[in-house]
């Protein structure tokens, strides 16, 4: 199993009721697998069909594999400016 | 001078302009974003900006560097403020300097548009009626042009 820390912000943090989640993934698990895991949690209704995800502070594609210890963040629609 | 920052303090526009001005730059283009008092017809009392700080700093620096490469500006400073802001406060400021105006203006325009697409910053509107909500630009329908 690989354990990844998922950071949540803004509307996502409110909906999941947490700013950080630890998620266990099977070896070779991808960003898409992680999102699928998150969809089983309460509050996940807030996620759009294809949420933006960052891995180690860079935007990542759904097929990107995750490694133990990766810093993953779910990025709600940004609203800076 | 090439600098970008996510800040919690007030943005000093004069200091940003002074930082990019130079004798060989004939044009300085400045964008200043401020907190508006109305959103979708509702009165706004204040705004709260939250950032994924480490990534926001990194992404803002990447955008500024892309601007330098694309438009060959001499100097550029971009700052975005986070935390609680009141109506009229400056939330973002960008100043680009180039020998000629077009490149300076284009660079500043590029940077603000990219910030709006890519920098992980969110804002919560606190309305005058006491309610609050996170802004989701993807859920908004543009008002028809008058």
């Amino acid at each position: 199993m690989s354990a990844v820390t998922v950071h949540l912000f803004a509307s996502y943090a409110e909906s999941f009721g947490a700013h950080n989640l630890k998620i266990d993934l099977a070896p070779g698990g991808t960003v898409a697998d992680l999102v699928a895991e998150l969809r089983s949690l309460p509050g996940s209704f807030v996620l759009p069909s294809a949420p933006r995800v960052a891995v180690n502070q860079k935007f990542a594609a759904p097929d990107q594999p995750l490694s133990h210890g990766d810093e993953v963040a779910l990025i709600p629609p940004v609203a800076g400016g | 001078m090439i600098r970008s920052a996510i800040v919690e303090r007030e943005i000093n526009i004069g200091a940003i302009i002074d930082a990019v001005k130079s004798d060989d730059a004939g044009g300085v283009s400045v964008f200043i974003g401020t907190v508006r008092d109305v959103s979708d017809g509702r009165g706004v009392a204040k705004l709260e900006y939250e950032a994924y700080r480490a990534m926001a700093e990194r992404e803002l620096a990447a955008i500024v560097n892309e601007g330098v490469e694309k438009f060959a500006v001499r100097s550029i400073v971009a700052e975005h403020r986070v935390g609680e802001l009141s109506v009229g406060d400056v939330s973002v400021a960008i100043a680009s300097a180039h020998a000629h105006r077009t490149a300076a203006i284009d660079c500043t325009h590029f940077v603000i548009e990219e910030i709006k697409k890519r920098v992980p910053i969110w804002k919560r509107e606190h309305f005058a009626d006491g309610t609050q909500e996170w802004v989701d630009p993807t859920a908004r329908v543009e008002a028809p042009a008058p």
Side-chain angles (χ1 to χ4, degrees):
Chain A
M1 295 289 253
S2 1
V4 296
T5 302
V6 182
H7 295 280
L8 301 169
F9 300 93
S11 57
Y12 291 3
E14 266 183 17
S15 190
F16 281 95
H19 279 94
N20 299 286
L21 296 170
K22 280 249 196 286
I23 304 287
D24 288 324
L25 277 183
T30 63
V31 165
D33 296 331
L34 176 74
V35 171
E37 282 292 323
L38 291 170
R39 286 196 194 281
S40 66
L41 300 177
S44 64
F45 62 87
V46 74
L47 297 180
S49 54
R52 283 172 106 183
V53 177
V55 178
N56 300 326
Q57 301 168 13
K58 288 182 179 164
F59 287 111
D63 61 357
Q64 179 166 327
L66 294 170
S67 307
H68 186 79
D70 273 346
E71 177 183 320
V72 180
L74 255 60
I75 309 291
V78 301
Chain B
M1 160 77 63
I2 293 166
R3 189 164 64 77
S4 62
I6 306 294
V7 300
E8 265 136 28
R9 53 163 172 77
E10 250 179 62
I11 292 178
N12 183 337
I13 297 159
I16 289 176
I17 295 170
D18 286 342
V20 301
K21 270 170 82 176
S22 67
D23 291 347
D24 60 356
V28 174
S29 164
V30 181
F31 175 81
I32 300 163
T34 60
V35 177
R36 200 176 43 206
D37 64 354
V38 167
S39 174
D40 283 346
R42 300 168 75 186
V44 171
K46 64 178 181 181
L47 282 188
E48 182 191 335
Y49 284 89
E50 179 180 337
Y52 178 12
R53 186 76 181 246
M55 183 176 172
E57 283 171 354
R58 189 176 181 142
E59 206 62 29
L60 184 58
I63 291 167
V64 162
N65 285 327
E66 285 167 32
V68 170
E69 271 182 33
K70 274 170 89 87
F71 304 102
V73 291
R74 304 275 161 106
S75 285
I76 175 167
V77 173
E79 288 186 359
H80 199 302
R81 187 173 171 190
V82 293
E84 210 167 272
L85 276 73
S86 307
V87 170
D89 282 349
V90 176
S91 55
V92 62
I94 302 153
S96 311
H98 190 277
H100 305 291
R101 67 183 181 282
T102 307
I105 292 168
D106 289 350
C107 183
T108 298
H109 187 214
F110 167 80
V111 170
I112 185 61
E113 294 304 321
E114 292 300 305
I115 286 173
K116 291 201 162 267
K117 284 182 223 161
R118 291 160 53 184
V119 178
I121 292 178
W122 303 276
K123 69 182 159 204
R124 175 149 57 182
E125 291 169 334
H126 294 253
F127 296 103
D129 63 8
T131 58
Q132 53 184 51
E133 65 189 46
W134 289 102
V135 174
D136 178 358
T138 62
R140 281 197 177 171
V141 180
E142 288 291 319

